[in-house]
Amino acid sequence: MLVDALQFNKPARERFEEWRAAGLTAVHVTVAIWEDSTETMREVGRWQRHLAEHADLLCEGRTADDIRAAERDGRTAVVLGFQNSSPFEDDLDLVGAFHQAGVRIAQLTYNTQNSAGAGCWEADNAGLSRTYGVNLIREMNRVGMLVDISHCNERTSLEAIETSERPVMITHANPRAFVGEDVELAFRNKSDTVLKKSAEQGGVVGLSMYPRLAPNGQACTVADFCDMVAYAAELIGVEHVGLASDYYAGQGDEELHWWRQGRWSRKPMVPISGQVDFPEWFAAGSGYADVLAELRRRGFGEQEIELISGGNWVRVFDEGFRPGPQG
């Protein structure tokens, strides 16, 4: 089983064929960053159409059993998720509505401050909102939607973990202490403290080869990436380490501009811009085979590799996608 816990490709059959060629059992895809509820529902509808039109390659990943079935059928399960809580529009009723529509993962923030908490571009003196942020997490726990803190700042991350009664995910980030401060988005990576707290609660971190986060940036090699996997496994345990490329393809400059600036900014305020090429060895996901081969060479056992490649994600999906205690 092979799970990529975050991609944001423009949907197209070419991408879906790449997933199958790479042997991807499931991919968590982004359907919203800054969009409101109506805009997001349109995107969910488009994904429903893609799932129907490409059913020979894809199926929907609403449950962990859907992902297991995809592995048996030789298809890729698509897990719908948000990279921000903007689609909820501060209305807790929309959490359950989007869960009914198939959304299973939502980040609290995307880089900036919102009603739920503070993103990684904000100072660490701002954290989880004691009103909406706390209640949003409680409602996500209740309906069966996983809380993601990938783009949250340190304080919001720690307070979200403390608040949640279910494991909190870091779907796509790297250990800041290992990667260092030389990469472009070093501040977006996670401290050892956040990684340990998430793991203690049962969470999983998806390690990424996105050049702005990865060790040695665009020069990141398979060996560099596996050094990071080994570091994370030693730090928090192999049961809490997964894969998540943060790969995007087919997106134009206008889409990238929207992700990074929304409607709230002008170029000088934003720390990154433009596209960046992934390491050549990744090759739209086919490089995962090289990663797993390198881990075997380093002495990782087959059971450990199964956990890292997808088993850990399916374990938390099994619990986290189910409704929790009501009331």
Side-chain angles (χ1 to χ4, degrees):
M1 183 174 292
L2 182 58
V3 177
D4 190 323
L6 199 287
Q7 290 198 17
F8 197 0
N9 300 304
K10 192 166 187 175
R13 188 169 180 88
E14 179 185 359
R15 301 283 83 78
F16 310 149
E17 289 172 341
E18 287 174 350
W19 291 350
R20 291 313 313 140
L24 282 164
T25 314
V27 177
H28 167 216
V29 303
T30 299
V31 295
I33 292 184
W34 305 111
E35 289 83 351
D36 62 20
S37 61
T38 302
E39 293 167 327
T40 302
M41 191 56 76
R42 289 195 183 102
E43 188 62 23
V44 170
R46 279 190 281 269
W47 265 107
Q48 297 294 350
R49 174 166 50 82
H50 290 307
L51 289 164
E53 291 176 351
H54 305 282
D56 58 321
L57 298 174
L58 306 177
C59 65
E60 193 167 8
R62 287 179 176 237
T63 68
D65 284 342
D66 290 339
I67 296 171
R68 296 184 185 101
E71 183 178 34
R72 291 193 300 269
D73 297 343
R75 295 190 290 173
T76 302
V78 176
V79 179
L80 303 181
F82 301 160
Q83 287 206 58
N84 200 349
S85 56
S86 62
F88 301 134
E89 298 183 13
D90 299 354
D91 184 345
L92 296 181
D93 287 341
L94 288 177
V95 179
F98 275 115
H99 185 271
Q100 287 291 322
V103 176
R104 290 295 181 269
I105 301 171
Q107 283 185 181
L108 298 177
T109 69
Y110 186 78
N111 297 335
T112 59
Q113 183 84 43
N114 64 19
S115 297
C120 60
W121 291 357
E122 309 289 353
D124 279 330
N125 60 353
L128 184 71
S129 163
R130 286 188 242 173
T131 50
Y132 177 65
V134 168
N135 283 300
L136 175 60
I137 290 173
R138 288 173 177 166
E139 186 68 3
M140 291 173 69
N141 286 173
R142 188 187 70 82
V143 305
M145 189 181 294
L146 285 172
V147 176
D148 184 2
I149 56 171
S150 295
H151 282 251
C152 295
N153 72 357
E154 181 89 357
R155 180 173 170 182
T156 300
S157 296
L158 292 171
E159 291 177 351
I161 293 167
E162 182 179 357
T163 300
S164 181
E165 295 180 355
R166 290 182 159 196
V168 167
M169 300 298 101
I170 304 167
T171 60
H172 56 300
N174 292 331
R176 189 184 307 147
F178 178 84
V179 173
E181 301 295 329
D182 293 335
V183 296
E184 192 171 2
L185 292 182
F187 59 90
R188 229 271 284 149
N189 283 329
K190 296 300 182 185
S191 71
D192 284 0
T193 300
V194 169
L195 293 171
K196 288 178 180 178
K197 290 292 185 182
S198 173
E200 287 169 6
Q201 194 194 46
V204 176
V205 58
L207 301 180
S208 174
M209 64 291 301
Y210 176 45
R212 290 184 167 112
L213 304 178
N216 294 323
Q218 286 182 279
C220 179
T221 65
V222 172
D224 293 333
F225 188 81
C226 289
D227 286 343
M228 182 170 64
V229 173
Y231 174 88
E234 177 67 23
L235 180 72
I236 58 177
V238 72
E239 300 85 359
H240 304 287
V241 178
L243 303 171
S245 62
D246 207 0
Y247 183 65
Y248 58 91
Q251 306 283 8
D253 289 342
E254 185 176 347
E255 285 88 353
L256 293 176
H257 185 85
W258 164 251
W259 299 351
R260 289 161 185 161
Q261 299 187 62
R263 299 186 179 97
W264 50 266
S265 182
R266 296 292 181 266
K267 273 190 176 180
M269 301 179 187
V270 177
I272 58 171
S273 62
Q275 304 212 27
V276 61
D277 292 330
F278 274 67
E280 188 174 332
W281 57 265
F282 178 69
S286 61
Y288 278 134
D290 293 334
V291 169
L292 301 182
E294 175 65 11
L295 292 177
R296 288 188 183 94
R297 190 190 68 78
R298 293 173 180 228
F300 281 78
E302 287 305 311
Q303 185 175 7
E304 293 175 315
I305 289 171
E306 287 174 11
L307 293 176
I308 293 168
S309 66
N312 288 329
W313 288 123
V314 173
R315 182 188 72 247
V316 294
F317 294 168
D318 220 347
E319 175 191 352
F321 292 175
R322 301 174 189 271
Q326 304 299 300

